[in-house]
Amino acid sequence: MTEFSVPTRTHGLTRTALPLDGLAARITDRFPEVEATEAYGELTLHVAPEHLVEVLTFCRDDEELDMALLSDLSGVHWPAGDHIIERQASTTGWPEYRVSREQGMIEVLYILRSLTRNHWFRVSVATPDDAPQLPSVTEVFTTANFHEREVFDFFGVEFAGHPDLTRILMPDDCIGHPHRKDYPLGGVDIPYKNDKFIPPPDERDIREVID
Amino acid sequence: MAIDPRTEASLSDDVLELFVEGADWESVVDAVEDETITINMGPQHPSTHGVLRLVLDLDGETVTRLTPIVGYLHTGIEKNAEVRTWVQGTTFFTRMDYLAPLFNETAFCLGVEKLLDIEVPERAQAVRVILMEFNRIASHLVWLATGGMELGSTTMMVFGFREREHVLDLFESQSGLRMNHAYIRTGGLAQDVTEDFVDRCEALLELLPRKIAEYEDLLKRNPIWNDRLRGIGPLDAETATRYGVTGPLLRAAGVPFDLRKAQPYSGYEQYEFDVPTETAADSYARFLLRIEEMRQSMRIIRQALDTLPGGPVMVADKHIAWPSQQSLGVDGIGNDPEYIRHIMGESMEALINHFKLTTQGFTVPAGQVYLPVESPRGELGYAITSTGTNKPYRVHVREPSFVNLQAADIMARGQMVADVVVVVASLDPVMGGVDR
């Protein structure tokens, strides 16, 4: 039987959660360059890649924040170009969604959670999509290991300092990073008898399907 | 031992490769002397819960390192969801963790509802809670059944699957499907529960406590069960937190963290229940904990049934509510003739609305949300990004099985090869969820 340590810190929701503005203030006081935004009752901190490890280490070790758990780590690809969605303005009255980017970005989102204070927030880091690179946080949170491999697999983000940055869900000989928006959605040759070229879902002609 | 002639060429100076079949172990031991052996367990192995491959570094019979290799079941569900409407998303996500489909459906729908800023009717919330808690029991029963089978208790396997079938019968009677229900929809439920729903639940609540007591009698003081589980796969609270492990494993290490209490959703704050914890932090503690969790789930179901409110099960907003109506006809459940008459014969607007919603779906405001629920395996979170269209821009799923599997290495180190089976069983990974 292996020896293992008995929990030393008090666990459980023993202290009340900090309000969102208190959470934001705690971090922006220490790191003035961090930008905090709030939407849908959720707090997002926008951090520059060079401060990422420092901010996450502070969140983990700070007595007030006590964010011991990295819940989630995921990526979102925002390619370059104009993104305008007008339809909703006429039907729902929501503001028109109009975003124009000169440089495509890959946004990596870290969900940090406190097990004692019951508060959480999101840390957002952006990196250019043509040469995506971020520092690895596996030294701060061991759990980031699989997550970072997944983001590397799907988006091609190179995490500097990761102990074993290899593909995790896609096959080792896979080409490209499938969750990027520029990855072809389909159009692969199907090697079956009487096979037909299947176009990607966004280029399919609905009338052909009905025929 | 026969060294495969095909591999002679691949033998390098520093790595000795041996291809052996069953009953050749003695000859391997002679050949390797005191070197470390690396062996493959899986991807086809009865105890790996699907297609999980474990690469074990062995010093004698002691595990010095365990490397889980996943991805064999990857189906690209997250990517697929980006080209389907929000309503169709439920159909995909229910197929990820196939032992906890209702948790996946609920978590995704709660996320979309948060973006839409709508409140689901109370009846739909209560039914969601009842079905989710029954799903938790069914999932823990499968864990008990497969875990028992892996340790040689075929009786437990038959028992576990037998009672789970009763729970699945309830799901089938409500949704039409045993698994992958797509019953929970954005804005409520696909349809109201049947008239005999409460009676069916009552019958299960009468049956399950007796059966769970039976399993406890069978296993709790069983010497083989005790020998195989006690002290195996230790994971203390600090390490569990560092590895992102949540759910029963974290609670078995003494941390009473449960999202139903921490961030109540679907009205969990109305129900009285305890968050059981254990302190031993080994596989036996996880067994005790899951048994107790089943009891707490029944406590929640009891209260939810007693206070089951009436009323609609879908939001009133016609821009979101799924328009189709179902009713029971002579040949089973199908389109309601009254509703068909209404859209085909009476109201052009109703027909247009039906057509638009079923083909294009509704649009969801732009934004990002993260919505976690407490699944049988831990924190199941949906990180949803919307750009205001009728399709998700990106949905990422924080799968507890995927995250927890990382801890298998630290839990198995220093233990015997046979204990790896126990370690993986106590983690309870579902490969459909790990690979997504």
Side-chain angles (χ1 to χ4, degrees), chain B residues 39-337:
Chain B
I39 63 159
N40 249 326
M41 189 167 148
Q44 278 82 38
H45 189 278
S47 77
T48 50
H49 292 253
V51 275
L52 167 64
R53 179 174 156 212
L54 302 169
V55 176
L56 305 175
D57 286 4
L58 302 177
D59 178 13
E61 216 182 314
T62 311
V63 178
T64 53
R65 194 171 62 170
L66 181 153
T67 318
I69 296 178
V70 299
Y72 293 93
L73 273 182
H74 181 58
T75 45
I77 286 177
E78 290 173 10
K79 184 74 177 177
N80 260 319
E82 290 173 15
V83 290
R84 316 282 165 185
T85 64
W86 293 96
V87 172
Q88 287 171 322
T90 314
T91 321
F92 276 101
F93 296 120
T94 189
R95 278 160 175 78
M96 293 200 318
D97 183 346
Y98 44 79
L99 292 184
L102 289 159
F103 291 90
N104 286 289
E105 294 171 20
T106 311
F108 174 67
C109 289
L110 285 171
V112 181
E113 284 153 13
K114 191 171 183 182
L115 280 165
L116 283 166
D117 194 21
I118 52 173
E119 185 78 11
V120 175
E122 280 183 359
R123 184 175 174 81
Q125 289 195 13
V127 173
R128 282 180 184 185
V129 167
I130 294 170
L131 291 179
M132 272 197 287
E133 292 308 322
F134 270 126
N135 201 170
R136 188 185 311 278
I137 295 172
S139 175
H140 281 353
L141 283 175
V142 173
W143 167 78
L144 203 54
T146 54
M149 181 180 68
E150 284 156 16
L151 301 182
S153 170
T154 32
T155 319
M156 194 55 244
M157 185 202 77
V158 178
F159 281 12
F161 276 107
R162 183 184 66 192
E163 264 66 74
R164 172 183 179 246
E165 208 59 33
H166 291 299
V167 181
L168 295 190
D169 281 346
L170 171 78
F171 294 161
E172 191 181 4
S173 73
Q174 301 310 313
S175 68
L177 293 162
R178 290 168 74 247
M179 293 159 86
N180 315 134
H181 316 282
Y183 179 66
I184 292 163
R185 302 277 174 87
T186 311
L189 305 172
Q191 63 194 55
D192 200 356
V193 292
T194 54
E195 278 174 16
D196 60 350
F197 175 69
V198 176
D199 294 339
R200 279 174 176 275
C201 294
E202 296 279 359
L204 274 177
L205 284 187
E206 198 270 320
L207 171 85
L208 287 171
R210 278 193 285 126
K211 294 295 178 185
I212 289 169
E214 200 175 287
Y215 310 149
E216 239 186 335
D217 283 349
L218 183 69
L219 297 174
K220 207 170 176 179
R221 279 181 296 280
N222 183 323
I224 302 172
W225 189 257
N226 272 271
D227 284 355
R228 290 300 306 272
L229 293 185
R230 276 191 198 270
I232 302 301
L235 186 70
D236 64 276
E238 300 293 334
T239 318
T241 317
R242 210 150 40 78
Y243 277 85
V245 172
T246 47
L249 277 92
L250 187 60
R251 291 194 284 273
V255 184
F257 182 75
D258 189 321
L259 285 159
R260 291 175 292 175
K261 286 274 189 207
Q263 283 182 29
Y265 50 89
S266 293
Y268 268 109
E269 63 278 5
Q270 315 162 27
Y271 309 118
E272 249 181 62
F273 64 100
D274 299 328
V275 178
T277 53
E278 292 284 334
T279 48
D282 61 358
S283 298
Y284 189 76
R286 288 164 209 146
F287 155 69
L288 294 178
L289 186 94
R290 287 194 171 102
I291 292 274
E292 184 54 33
E293 280 198 5
M294 289 198 259
R295 298 221 163 92
Q296 294 300 329
S297 289
M298 284 187 280
R299 222 174 126 190
I300 298 171
I301 297 167
R302 176 80 270 158
Q303 295 170 49
L305 278 179
D306 289 343
T307 57
L308 185 66
V313 292
M314 186 51 104
V315 286
D317 188 347
K318 287 288 176 206
H319 289 105
I320 293 163
W322 189 248
S324 171
Q325 303 286 326
Q326 309 270 300
S327 70
L328 189 63
V330 283
D331 54 351
I333 288 180
N335 281 320
D336 183 35

Side-chain angles (χ1 to χ4, degrees), chain A residues 1-2 4-5 7-9 11-13 40 42 68-79 85 87-88 92 94 97 107 109 111 113-115 118 120 122 141-147 150 154-155 168-170 178-181 183 185 201, chain B residues 68 70-71 74 78-79 82-83 114-115 231 234 236-238 241-244 246 250 253-257 259 262-263 280-281 363-370 372 379 383 385 387-390 393-394 396 398 402-403 406 413 415 434-436:
Chain A
M1 197 193 294
T2 334
F4 60 92
S5 68
T8 46
R9 252 167 37 191
H11 286 283
L13 300 171
Y40 299 101
E42 296 180 2
L69 186 71
L70 176 72
S71 262
D72 188 25
L73 197 164
S74 64
V76 185
H77 184 206
W78 302 99
I85 291 142
R87 182 150 46 83
Q88 59 173 344
T92 58
W94 297 328
Y97 182 84
E107 189 185 17
L109 304 166
I111 308 276
R113 182 186 293 288
S114 166
L115 290 175
N118 197 17
W120 69 275
R122 182 189 290 117
F141 297 103
T142 318
T143 180
N145 189 324
F146 267 28
H147 288 302
E150 190 189 320
F154 286 161
F155 297 93
I168 185 162
L169 293 178
M170 298 303 288
H179 271 264
R180 294 169 67 112
K181 293 286 175 184
Y183 189 83
L185 280 179
Chain B
V70 299
H74 181 58
E78 290 173 10
K79 184 74 177 177
E82 290 173 15
V83 290
K114 191 171 183 182
L115 280 165
D236 64 276
E238 300 293 334
T241 317
R242 210 150 40 78
Y243 277 85
T246 47
L250 187 60
V255 184
F257 182 75
L259 285 159
Q263 283 182 29
T363 49
V364 168
Q368 279 179 331
V369 290
Y370 176 74
E379 176 179 343
T385 305
T387 50
T389 62
N390 60 343
Y393 186 77
R394 164 103 171 105
H396 171 78
R398 190 258 191 224
F402 178 75
V403 182
Q406 295 185 79
R413 279 190 195 196
Q415 315 232 334
V434 173
D435 296 340
R436 310 194 286 288

